[in-house]
Amino acid sequence: MALELRKGRVPALVDTGAQFSCIRSDVIEYLYTRGGSCDFLPCSLTCLLADGRKAQVNNAAKLHVRLLAFSWDHELKILDEGPFAAILGMDFLARTQMRVDVASRTFSFTSAPSRVGSFSPGAFQEVSDPYFRQLCDEAAGLLTAMMTRPSNLNCSKLKTEFPFLFSTTLGVAKCAPYEIELSDTIPVRSAPYRCAPPKVQTFKQVVNELLDQGVVRPSKSPYASPAFLVPKNSGGERMVVDYRKVNAKIVFDSYPMPTVEQAFEQFAGAVVLSVFDLNSAYFQIPLTARSRRVTAFCTPFGLFEFNRLPMGISVGTQGLTRVVDELYADLKGGYVFN
């Protein structure tokens, strides 16, 4: 959007991930040399930039800013660099009660909902000052690059070239079988949960599908965790196993887990992002023979155990992350994030 100052318009980014609003030091310097009213304030804080770098902020400026028909005197922290001339953070949104509609790319204010502004590079067209014009052209170019999708991307071609990767049939990961370590070898067992007669047939169908896929097998294990059905959001039923007693005996797997902050750091500046949802990812990870007996679950019609990593086991997430990291070790940190 174009943020109006007393000496002209500058491009501003509305960032709900920013705790405070900021402005670039070169913009402040230009405003000051043109006689703009700038009340400088001291401050001392360290902020984390979008690319993961840390920046020390030592100064702030109180400026008179205007959007639509409304204006405020607002404090903006001064940054040495950044892709946008100004960033409006959560402090500005909270103070002005700005409402952002991402779907329609518009904004308004609670006090006057009928006055609606647009997030569009077209708002930069009325800027005449050469310096501000340059800032707006740079911002418009950056926005265009962010919204432009390369024309040579074709998902259908990928699916045709690698049909086995986009199959509904479960595969088995080419990795070492996962070992579930226990703090002791004393088995834990529970009686099967009661199941209403009309649901028993559905329950059997769910288990039979897992048997046909090789995910589970009949068991003679001394362990027994009760299984039951829960409704799926998309319709139908899925099986859940109550592994609380087993989880209490599992030795914690300390494999490091990825964080959202790491994802932001790794993909800062990326234009095209692809998200792949693995098909029943846990059920593609094999278990060691010793671990299979630990996963045994009981139903009203029999005892079964998993050949693959089951959902509900406390170390399942670590097991999946380790396998993905091993399979994409040469791409990890460059093109792959899980």
Side-chain angles (χ1 to χ4, degrees):
M1 65 166 59
L3 182 67
E4 294 186 42
L5 305 176
R6 283 178 173 167
K7 292 297 180 179
R9 288 185 174 188
V10 298
L13 173 71
V14 174
D15 186 358
T16 57
Q19 294 184 356
F20 53 79
S21 303
C22 53
I23 191 167
R24 270 198 339 232
S25 58
D26 60 305
V27 179
I28 283 291
E29 184 177 351
Y30 183 77
L31 292 172
Y32 185 75
T33 56
R34 291 194 62 200
S37 176
C38 302
D39 294 332
F40 293 100
L41 305 169
C43 68
S44 179
L45 57 89
T46 302
C47 65
L48 185 66
L49 303 180
D51 59 4
R53 292 179 297 132
K54 292 183 179 180
Q56 183 66 33
V57 180
N58 298 314
N59 295 287
K62 181 173 287 188
L63 301 176
H64 188 76
V65 299
R66 179 184 175 91
L67 285 173
L68 300 179
F70 312 100
S71 60
W72 308 265
D73 288 327
H74 194 70
E75 179 181 318
L76 291 90
K77 305 295 188 293
I78 301 175
L79 293 178
D80 291 334
E81 57 180 322
F84 284 89
I87 295 176
L88 300 180
M90 287 301 297
D91 59 333
F92 182 84
L93 272 65
R95 180 185 177 188
T96 62
Q97 296 186 353
M98 177 189 283
R99 299 190 299 186
V100 177
D101 189 330
V102 178
S104 63
R105 302 180 63 83
T106 59
F107 68 92
S108 61
F109 298 98
T110 304
S111 59
S114 60
R115 297 294 300 270
V116 179
S118 174
F119 294 108
S120 170
F124 303 153
Q125 300 302 319
E126 301 176 11
V127 178
S128 57
D129 182 280
Y131 175 74
F132 292 142
R133 177 74 262 166
Q134 179 183 350
L135 293 177
C136 291
D137 289 343
E138 291 174 356
L142 182 60
L143 289 174
T144 301
M146 293 171 62
M147 294 186 292
T148 300
R149 175 175 176 162
S151 59
N152 60 346
L153 294 181
N154 191 322
C155 293
S156 299
K157 182 180 178 181
L158 284 174
K159 292 172 70 174
T160 302
E161 187 174 355
F162 304 100
F164 59 93
L165 294 180
F166 297 94
S167 171
T168 56
T169 303
L170 283 180
V172 183
K174 297 178 181 179
C175 63
Y178 189 76
E179 177 77 29
I180 299 174
E181 297 186 29
L182 300 179
S183 58
D184 61 58
T185 58
I186 302 174
V188 291
R189 63 183 66 87
S190 298
Y193 288 157
R194 295 181 60 185
C195 182
K199 278 196 172 185
V200 171
Q201 190 59 37
T202 302
F203 204 164
K204 286 183 178 180
Q205 290 176 357
V206 172
V207 174
N208 285 336
E209 288 179 6
L210 295 175
L211 287 167
D212 293 340
Q213 293 173 329
V215 175
V216 303
R217 66 182 184 182
S219 176
K220 294 182 180 179
S221 171
Y223 290 82
S225 297
F228 57 98
L229 296 180
V230 295
K232 296 193 293 188
N233 292 333
S234 57
E237 307 275 351
R238 67 183 178 92
M239 186 182 73
V240 176
V241 183
D242 184 353
Y243 280 124
R244 284 178 293 181
K245 289 184 178 180
V246 170
N247 285 338
K249 291 177 172 288
I250 290 179
V251 177
F252 183 75
D253 187 342
S254 298
Y255 193 82
M257 303 299 296
T259 64
V260 174
E261 290 77 14
Q262 290 174 337
F264 288 151
E265 292 172 6
Q266 180 172 332
F267 295 121
V271 176
V272 178
L273 301 176
S274 300
V275 178
F276 292 90
D277 185 11
L278 299 177
N279 182 19
S280 300
Y282 281 30
F283 292 169
Q284 298 192 52
I285 300 174
L287 288 174
T288 62
R290 186 170 61 177
S291 296
R292 294 173 187 174
R293 62 201 299 270
V294 176
T295 68
F297 61 92
C298 54
T299 69
F301 46 87
L303 183 68
F304 306 86
E305 66 187 27
F306 278 89
N307 295 315
R308 316 279 178 81
L309 185 64
M311 289 178 280
I313 288 290
S314 60
V315 292
T317 306
Q318 291 90 328
L320 174 61
T321 302
R322 177 184 278 104
V323 169
V324 173
D325 284 353
E326 290 175 356
L327 295 176
Y328 295 99
D330 56 333
L331 301 176
K332 186 76 174 180
Y335 301 98
V336 174
F337 185 87
N338 69 296

